[in-house]
Amino acid sequence: MFSKIMMPVDLAHLASLRRALDVAADLGAHYGATVVYAGVTAQTPGALGHNPKDFAARLDAFVAQESRTHGIAAEALALISHDPRIDLDRTLIKAVEDIGADLVVMASHIPNLTDYIWPSNGGTLAAHAKTSVMVVRG
Amino acid sequence: MTDETSNQGIPLPEGDAQLIDTDYEIGQDNIETQIGPFGVDIHNPVFLISGLCVVAFVFFTLALPDQADAAFAWLFSFATKTFDWFFLGTANIFVLFCLLLIVTPVGRVRLGGADATPDYSYIGWFSMLFAAGMGIGLMFFGVLEPVYHMAVSQPLGVASPFAADGSLIPENVEAAKKMGLAATIFHWGLHPWAIYAVVALALALFSYNKGLPLTIRSAFYPILGERVWGWWGHVIDVLAVFATLFGLATSLGFGAQQANAGLNYVFGVPVGATAQVLLITGITSIALVSVLRGLDGGVKVLSEINMGIAALLLLFVLFAGPTLLILTDFAEGLGAYLKEIVPLSNPFGREDTGFVQGWTSFYWAWWISWSPFVGMFIARVSRGRTVREFIICVLIIPSLVCVLWMAVFGGVAIDQVLSDPATSAVKANVIDSYNPPLSLFAMLEGLPFSAITSVIGIVLVIVFFVTSSDSGSLVIDTITAGGKVDAPVPQRVFWCVFEGAVAIVLLLSAGGLSSLQSMVISTGLPFALVLLVMCWAIWRGLRDEQS
């Protein structure tokens, strides 16, 4: 049913993504799909690396571990944005089209008052991506 | 080259760069938590101390206005008058240093690694650095300065074309006219842009090539080593936030007063606190939208719109005014600038102390106190350029645009003053009485369609403030988040609103704006030393890159 599943990841907050990560891996194993783990970084040095190369290396290591743990085919996709906090949704939506993902699994928080002002990334992706999106809350 | 590097996977390796090996991890001192529904990610001492210092200084200014005014006025006078030679001397060093970087082999070093590609096209990049750097000043000083220097301040002792009784002295006209343009271009040309270029290059180099966080403290790593992550660095970053926030808030306050004066001149809108508070609220609201749309969708778009409107106004004034005369002025002004740049920048033995201390020294302190903000913003958008390309584009091209702007606006204004001194509105508002906010509108009044062009002028003034406000908020947010550019959005909103609120509070207090602006400009003195150290750090960093 699905051949390529995209799972956006924030390497700084992996603990809060665990449920969604497991769902993505289970679906990948179930359908024999490749899970593409997408991370977004800026050009400037950040907490996850001195530069995008460092970031990409860290993402590769994480993806290799997920692949080993769950026995799935997995790929890393490091994306660069000038202003990741603002451009995250646009960057991910474009990546979904570019890689031809047929399902996106994404972690999100339980909606609260601020979502009326700043909608969650998962909610925005579900609203605007032209493919199936599974939002895993909590 | 493309503006669309976002949304792409990691490109080919960035090539060789000499990363600094440090144990410090960006964000390690940050507090990441949830306040109510909002997430925050702030640098532990820097955010809190900066915010508290700003509140404390505003409180001091409001609670003891006379003492604050006297203290800051003394500080300002001490910095710009006692150390005028120092400002002039250091600014000369920055220009020479930048020119040296263009011609030496270190100019080949690329910011971001040997194979890095530029993040922005030339137009987007240039618009952003220009709009943040000095756009607003051109609106107010483009008419005022050439006329004032020609007739009143008398740089290098060049005599005024007007006698004490207001009559014209024809034999003084040519020399005074050229000196008026040359002195103005001097204040807006190579020297200020060299100041910005030094700070921007230091930050870009230590961030993109050395892998340190994008905060002011990183440029001090070669001197302070690992201590830069401790209190030394905290103090540097707090000072930068402080100068940026007060610089923006006081400028916003004055800008609102000036826009109000313009609206009064053109439409008869009453001058008063209500109109000015509404203007600050409006400017802050637009800046907020721009900040929320991000660097590409907000700041860059607004900067490009801004530059487009400014270019249209420039072309209109060029063709509606005496075109041939303006073009001659442009060539003559440039020639006079090149001829007079050495005597004008001479720091010692000057007899025109009124001009040197009242104008040049003031300007140099002003540019230097703004340099952490503008420099950091330029650094943020300059990845992928070679050092040579960077210096040429930050130093030479903006200087030429300033020359053109001053020649067109100043040239038309000077022509109006000299051709009909008795009825010239520019003469009435610049020479006979000193009304800087009205000088632009007075000049436009002498051209066709002045009702339309004056409205465009007011819009430009407001939008230039918006572009300074939004880029300033991004810069402060990055510094107070310990160099992270992806801190939660509510933090940007906080700084943008805080800046507007400080401007409103200062505006409503008597003398608050001017006394705090004096204080901010005085910070130019210690920062001048800091910039000298940065030159050394840049040189060392670039030599390492080459090796």
Side-chain angles (χ1 to χ4, degrees), chain B residues 89-269:
Chain B
T90 46
N92 292 342
I93 291 173
F94 301 144
V95 173
L96 292 173
F97 178 68
C98 287
L99 295 176
L100 182 78
L101 292 181
I102 295 177
V103 296
T104 50
V106 295
R108 283 198 295 268
V109 172
R110 191 173 286 279
L111 298 171
D115 302 330
T117 49
D119 288 350
Y120 293 97
S121 66
Y122 275 113
I123 290 177
W125 181 48
F126 180 73
S127 299
M128 282 194 281
L129 67 92
F130 201 81
M134 55 177 53
I136 189 65
L138 296 177
M139 299 302 297
F140 288 105
F141 294 100
V143 168
L144 175 89
E145 261 203 87
V147 174
Y148 196 81
H149 293 327
M150 173 192 76
V152 186
S153 58
Q154 302 180 10
L156 299 175
V158 172
S160 169
F162 291 103
D165 61 359
S167 60
L168 202 62
I169 309 169
E171 61 269 29
N172 288 355
V173 167
E174 265 317 297
K177 206 170 123 177
K178 278 185 192 166
M179 183 51 78
L181 281 173
T184 309
I185 295 166
F186 173 59
H187 289 152
W188 296 84
L190 294 173
H191 286 76
W193 287 101
I195 291 167
Y196 288 161
V198 165
V199 180
L201 183 58
L203 295 174
L205 179 68
F206 283 95
S207 183
Y208 295 127
N209 294 54
K210 310 293 182 188
L212 301 185
L214 186 64
T215 67
I216 307 293
R217 68 173 82 196
S218 297
F220 292 83
Y221 190 88
I223 298 129
L224 296 171
E226 291 295 316
R227 278 173 299 172
V228 85
W229 312 123
W231 277 101
W232 283 98
H234 301 339
V235 171
I236 292 167
D237 280 353
V238 167
L239 267 176
V241 172
F242 196 72
T244 303
L245 194 126
F246 272 126
L248 284 169
T250 51
S251 298
L252 194 58
F254 282 121
Q257 288 178 343
Q258 287 158 334
N260 192 189
L263 285 168
N264 176 265
Y265 193 76
V266 181
F267 298 113
V269 172

Side-chain angles (χ1 to χ4, degrees), chain B residues 457-473:
Chain B
I458 293 169
V459 169
L460 262 181
V461 168
I462 291 172
V463 182
F464 267 124
F465 269 110
V466 173
T467 51
S468 290
S469 178
D470 58 11
S471 44
S473 302

Side-chain angles (χ1 to χ4, degrees), chain B residues 299-319:
Chain B
V299 181
K300 179 168 152 275
V301 170
L302 215 52
S303 297
E304 285 176 346
I305 292 172
N306 212 354
M307 295 310 291
I309 303 174
L312 284 177
L313 188 63
L314 183 83
L315 287 174
F316 170 78
V317 175
L318 175 65
F319 290 111

Side-chain angles (χ1 to χ4, degrees), chain A residues 65-136:
Chain A
Q65 194 188 357
E66 285 293 296
S67 173
R68 266 197 313 274
T69 309
H70 298 281
I72 53 168
E75 286 173 12
L77 178 66
L79 304 159
I80 304 173
S81 161
H82 294 148
D83 195 349
R85 184 60 73 168
I86 299 288
D87 296 333
L88 184 71
D89 299 333
R90 257 177 292 172
T91 307
L92 289 175
I93 289 169
K94 180 152 193 313
V96 170
E97 289 169 14
D98 289 349
I99 66 170
D102 38 24
L103 174 67
V104 177
V105 177
M106 191 161 179
S108 188
H109 58 265
I110 294 165
N112 57 34
L113 197 63
T114 45
D115 286 87
Y116 288 100
I117 310 168
W118 288 294
S120 66
N121 301 119
T124 307
L125 232 72
H128 297 288
K130 293 187 178 74
T131 192
S132 302
V133 177
M134 181 175 183
V135 179
V136 182

Side-chain angles (χ1 to χ4, degrees), chain B residues 218-547:
Chain B
S218 297
F220 292 83
Y221 190 88
I223 298 129
L224 296 171
E226 291 295 316
R227 278 173 299 172
V228 85
W229 312 123
W231 277 101
W232 283 98
H234 301 339
V235 171
I236 292 167
D237 280 353
V238 167
L239 267 176
V241 172
F242 196 72
T244 303
L245 194 126
F246 272 126
L248 284 169
T250 51
S251 298
L252 194 58
F254 282 121
Q257 288 178 343
Q258 287 158 334
N260 192 189
L263 285 168
N264 176 265
Y265 193 76
V266 181
F267 298 113
V269 172
V271 173
T274 311
Q276 289 161 16
V277 168
L278 283 175
L279 274 166
I280 292 181
T281 310
I283 290 169
T284 305
S285 305
I286 304 170
L288 205 56
V289 173
S290 172
V291 160
L292 288 174
R293 288 186 56 81
L295 197 54
D296 291 353
V299 181
K300 179 168 152 275
V301 170
L302 215 52
S303 297
E304 285 176 346
I305 292 172
N306 212 354
M307 295 310 291
I309 303 174
L312 284 177
L313 188 63
L314 183 83
L315 287 174
F316 170 78
V317 175
L318 175 65
F319 290 111
T323 312
L324 198 62
L325 191 75
I326 294 170
L327 292 175
T328 314
D329 280 345
F330 173 66
E332 283 187 351
L334 194 59
Y337 171 56
L338 295 174
K339 184 169 161 253
E340 304 292 354
I341 187 168
V342 174
L344 281 171
S345 56
N346 170 25
F348 303 110
R350 294 283 289 267
E351 288 176 3
D352 52 345
T353 48
F355 173 75
V356 172
Q357 294 175 352
W359 286 91
T360 309
S361 180
F362 163 81
Y363 265 124
W364 283 191
W366 185 12
W367 300 132
I368 291 170
S369 67
W370 272 70
S371 62
F373 149 50
V374 181
M376 193 158 145
F377 185 71
I378 294 176
R380 174 95 187 256
V381 296
S382 300
R383 187 188 158 279
R385 308 281 171 188
T386 64
V387 170
R388 185 168 293 132
E389 191 183 9
F390 175 87
I391 298 284
I392 289 172
C393 289
V394 176
L395 189 70
I396 311 287
I397 295 175
S399 297
L400 283 174
V401 173
C402 284
V403 175
L404 183 64
W405 186 277
M406 294 300 178
V408 172
F409 282 69
V412 170
I414 287 174
D415 181 56
Q416 289 173 353
V417 168
L418 294 176
S419 58
D420 194 0
T423 59
S424 165
V426 175
K427 184 170 182 288
N429 284 294
V430 176
I431 301 173
D432 302 338
S433 63
Y434 189 69
N435 290 320
L438 297 183
S439 55
L440 172 71
F441 304 107
M443 184 275 285
L444 292 175
E445 199 181 76
L447 297 175
F449 311 114
S450 66
I452 300 170
T453 52
S454 296
V455 173
I456 293 174
I458 293 169
V459 169
L460 262 181
V461 168
I462 291 172
V463 182
F464 267 124
F465 269 110
V466 173
T467 51
S468 290
S469 178
D470 58 11
S471 44
S473 302
L474 285 182
V475 164
I476 296 176
D477 180 45
T478 305
I479 299 176
T480 54
K484 280 188 169 182
V485 295
D486 58 350
V489 179
Q491 283 173 223
R492 297 182 189 187
V493 174
F494 167 77
W495 287 113
C496 194
V497 172
F498 192 50
E499 178 194 305
V502 170
I504 289 174
V505 171
L506 293 175
L507 183 83
L508 296 175
S509 69
L513 277 176
S514 57
S515 64
L516 272 176
Q517 194 176 48
S518 301
M519 195 248 333
V520 170
I521 292 171
S522 310
T523 61
L525 187 60
F527 265 118
L529 279 172
V530 164
L531 261 64
L532 283 175
V533 175
M534 276 187 182
C535 289
W536 179 77
I538 290 171
W539 184 254
R540 210 176 130 174
L542 286 175
R543 291 296 299 270
D544 284 351
E545 287 295 304
Q546 250 198 328
S547 66

